[in-house]
Amino acid sequence: MDSASDWAAKVEGKNCPFDMPRTGISSSLVPVHKMSISTLFLERIQTYRGHCVLIFDSRHVTRIDELESEEWRLLSEDILNAEKALIEVLRPDHINIASLGLVVPHLHWHLIPRYIGDPRWGGPIWTTAPDEMEKVYLPEVEYVTLAGKIRSELVGADS
Ligand SMILES: [Zn+2]
């Protein structure tokens, strides 16, 4: 649990793991593609196959009200393009797009493909503390393969 001062320091960007150069996030996130104003990563926890995180690149911001309107336009486009790629590659039954920022308050979006019968179908995936959640990890090669498929879809959509 954060104290008010812990939280204030995180919001200001102290030791923010999502600020460049983002050393130290490779244990939890696999790079997929550099988008216009953000970077798409594949979550290592793949309980929801294709779960990605899109992180705003330009600087440390916590909320969308801190963005310039052009930044928001570009970020919205990145979210939309990432969502389309995930729909194309994973063919989920639904997709959740969420910005919480309670653990790392640097603006980022979770794109979570949802499948009928998944462990939290019918509700949000975060109904318990992260430590209590079911965790599915993939063999290393599968991260590379899945990231490659999503990247191909994104690059194909660009051209
Ligand atoms: Zn940051």
Side-chain angles (χ1 to χ4, degrees):
M1 180 82 81
D2 289 306
S3 70
S5 63
D6 290 345
W7 177 248
K10 281 190 196 175
V11 166
E12 282 168 17
K14 187 164 187 244
N15 300 323
C16 177
F18 288 179
D19 286 354
M20 297 297 184
R22 294 183 184 145
T23 50
I25 61 169
S26 63
S27 60
S28 54
L29 297 170
V30 179
V32 173
H33 191 57
K34 171 82 183 82
M35 313 284 284
S36 72
I37 202 165
S38 62
T39 303
L40 187 67
F41 295 87
L42 192 62
E43 266 276 359
R44 283 203 183 267
I45 297 171
Q46 284 287 300
T47 311
Y48 304 88
R49 194 167 182 87
H51 184 168
C52 282
V53 177
L54 184 77
I55 305 178
F56 182 69
D57 285 338
S58 305
R59 58 199 152 82
H60 180 85
V61 296
T62 297
R63 302 181 312 262
I64 58 174
D65 62 271
E66 296 166 61
L67 298 176
E68 304 296 330
S69 60
E70 178 64 6
E71 290 175 330
W72 173 233
R73 191 186 67 75
L74 291 169
L75 183 58
S76 301
E77 249 175 44
D78 287 355
I79 296 166
L80 178 60
N81 289 332
E83 192 254 28
K84 285 178 177 171
L86 292 178
I87 296 287
E88 198 57 40
V89 171
L90 281 307
R91 302 279 174 193
D93 297 304
H94 190 45
I95 188 162
N96 294 158
I97 297 177
S99 180
L100 285 81
L102 290 159
V103 177
V104 180
H106 175 122
L107 190 59
H108 65 280
W109 298 79
H110 288 266
L111 295 99
I112 311 151
R114 300 298 303 269
Y115 306 90
I116 293 169
D118 74 31
R120 298 277 190 229
W121 180 254
I125 68 165
W126 296 284
T127 56
T128 51
D131 289 352
E132 297 162 358
M133 288 173 66
E134 182 175 327
K135 293 179 183 64
V136 173
Y137 293 93
L138 304 178
E140 194 59 31
V141 65
E142 285 197 39
Y143 292 110
V144 176
T145 303
L146 188 51
K149 282 182 184 168
I150 298 165
R151 187 181 310 115
S152 298
E153 192 60 37
L154 285 164
V155 171
D158 286 347
S159 56

